[in-house]
Amino acid sequence: MDVIYTDRHRLHRGEFEFFAGELVPCYEKPERADAVLAALTACGMAVGGPESFCLAPIERVHTPRYLRFLESAWQRWRALGKERDALPDVWPIRGFRHDIEPDDFVAQLGLYSFDTATPLTAGTWTAARAAAEVALTAQRRIAGGARAAFALTRPPGHHAGADFFGGYCFINNAAVAAQALIDDGARRVAILDVDYHHGNGTQSIFYERADVLVQSIHGDPKTEYPYYLGHADETGSGAGTGFNRNYPLPAGSSTASWFDALEAACGRVRDFGPAALVVPLGVDTYVGDPISRFRLDRPDYLRLGARLAALRLPTLFVFEGGYAVAEIGENVVNALRGFEEAGGA
Ligand code: FKS
Ligand code: ZN
């Protein structure tokens, strides 16, 4: 399977995130992607770099106003005399105006974000844009006829919406790739998000669309991040009604119930009849993950890959979460190997 990667991800290196009232070292760190790369090379997978793209395919998913903000954010923060990472401290919740962009930089940070876990750093824009290019390069392989590709993206993407960042995500790599598949002629694309956390950004981007089926299996938002979206009754709206499906599972759920949800989601992919499948692949479902509470073990990722391969669709894996750095490489490799050994590319 083709793997696309760039070391530009290392330019995004947050120092601290807020976690329950305390500043703790960022869980989402460069070592994560380095560990996955090392495991992929160790088992002989071919790794290539990304092509370059203009902003147009990213603007198909994100607003120009938001992208301009991200692009200039670090320079504006520096102009305020700041050297440490930028974090917001105020947000326009219910009843506040979203249409007027405040002049104040920190107020803008709040307008374009939803948590305090996602520091913006000197290299964030360059790294996030590079990750989108990684996803777009993998997308081109699929559009060109490849059976499968893995976009080793960092920072991750599935929490980022059309005009907001959060949950360690800035640009929604999987959504950009799915939209590019449509723009290259796919009539329908299915997204099946297997990260532990609900892909709220991806859901919101395609919520009114009938050409992109969005499904997510995740920890129940009643107790798990991102808390405010990802319930089972969110099924799409307008033309998109019926084209969004959530499978929230209680924290601590058994692996058997996780695979039951996967089975249901795969059935819906099959019924939808897409030209391609995009899989936001987080391995924070692993039993040893430090911030998540499912119980998948290493061999379960082989089974996940094999089940996805049985859909017999061109498949684009896009890397998302996973914080057990010592096992992250093995778990990702197992998902991809499981796919290949079951007849995928
Ligand atoms: C609340 C802590 C909030 C944020 C968790 C973010 C999860 C990110 C992810 C991604 F794939 F995007 F990386 N923690 N007390 O794993 O979904
Ligand atoms: Zn996650």
Side-chain angles (χ1 to χ4, degrees), residues 21-33:
E22 283 179 66
L23 274 178
V24 302
C26 287
Y27 286 96
E28 201 296 289
K29 51 190 178 192
E31 290 75 10
R32 299 176 54 250

Side-chain angles (χ1 to χ4, degrees), residues 1-21:
M1 165 163 348
D2 281 0
V3 177
I4 314 297
Y5 165 88
T6 170
D7 61 12
R8 273 179 284 162
H9 77 83
R10 293 197 193 125
L11 297 169
H12 175 66
R13 178 185 286 274
E15 205 178 351
F16 299 113
E17 63 175 80
F18 260 108
F19 194 99

Side-chain angles (χ1 to χ4, degrees), residues 232-256:
D233 66 349
E234 298 156 15
T235 56
S237 72
T241 304
F243 297 100
N244 191 88
R245 295 288 172 180
N246 286 321
Y247 304 84
L249 301 174
S253 283
S254 70
T255 296

